Amino acid sequence: DNCEVVFRNLIFIAFALYFQDGKAGRTVLFYATEYQRVDMVQFLLEFGASAELHNYAGKVVTQINCHMC
């Protein structure tokens, strides 16, 4: 039913927002920031992405070298 589909999608979105890649521990928010996608950064933050997660180098997204920061 529709509730199950919505629930599964919410779980997927929550997982995607916090998933860290195996190479550097970057989340989708790190990638959006690195590629200077202001629209995606805003979207991700609105949907609950955390700017407080550290990558494997111990940095948070606001500490990466980019022109948006």
Side-chain angles (χ1 to χ4, degrees):
D1 72 27
N2 273 348
C3 287
E4 184 177 337
V5 171
V6 169
F7 185 69
R8 287 177 188 237
N9 286 337
L10 289 173
I11 291 172
F12 176 76
I13 291 168
F15 174 77
L17 290 176
Y18 289 91
F19 176 79
Q20 293 180 278
D21 69 19
K23 184 176 181 182
R26 292 180 291 191
T27 63
V28 68
L29 184 59
F30 273 92
Y31 284 105
T33 303
E34 289 173 358
Y35 286 97
Q36 301 176 27
R37 292 294 310 268
V38 176
D39 57 334
M40 289 302 300
V41 169
Q42 291 172 339
F43 174 82
L44 292 166
L45 291 171
E46 286 175 13
F47 276 87
S50 175
E52 301 301 318
L53 288 176
H54 292 81
N55 65 11
Y56 296 159
K59 294 185 178 187
V60 294
V61 72
T62 55
Q63 294 175 312
I64 63 172
N65 187 15
C66 71
H67 300 297
M68 288 181 3
C69 302

